[in-house]
């Protein structure tokens, strides 16, 4: 709704998810499928079950801001 209202839906966009605290990652495969379904290209993805440290990149994608 926001990208539509601002008229920026066709602009290129990027999204990144990273950890705030040490954690075991879960459901990145599902999140990547949702992003792909929305037309994004996934560039980086940590596999579910991976133990990550603080401030570690988990998922990164790009596409239109729509």
């Amino acid at each position: 709704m926001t990208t539509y209202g601002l008229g920026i839906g066709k602009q290129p966009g990027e999204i990144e998810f990273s950890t705030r605290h040490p954690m075991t990652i879960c459901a990145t495969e599902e999140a990547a499928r949702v992003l792909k379904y929305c037309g994004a290209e996934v560039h980086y993805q940590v596999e579910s079950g991976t133990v990550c440290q603080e401030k570690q990149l988990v998922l990164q994608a790009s596409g239109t801001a729509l």
Side-chain angles (χ1 to χ4, degrees), residues 7-47:
I8 61 169
K10 294 185 180 187
Q11 296 292 321
E14 297 178 357
I15 191 165
E16 291 185 350
F17 298 91
S18 58
T19 60
R20 290 185 187 176
H21 309 283
M23 62 178 65
T24 301
I25 300 304
C26 178
T28 50
E29 294 82 7
E30 289 80 2
R33 277 195 291 275
V34 170
L35 289 166
K36 289 177 186 176
Y37 179 80
C38 292
E41 180 181 352
V42 175
H43 302 290
Y44 181 79
Q45 171 188 343
V46 173
E47 185 178 330

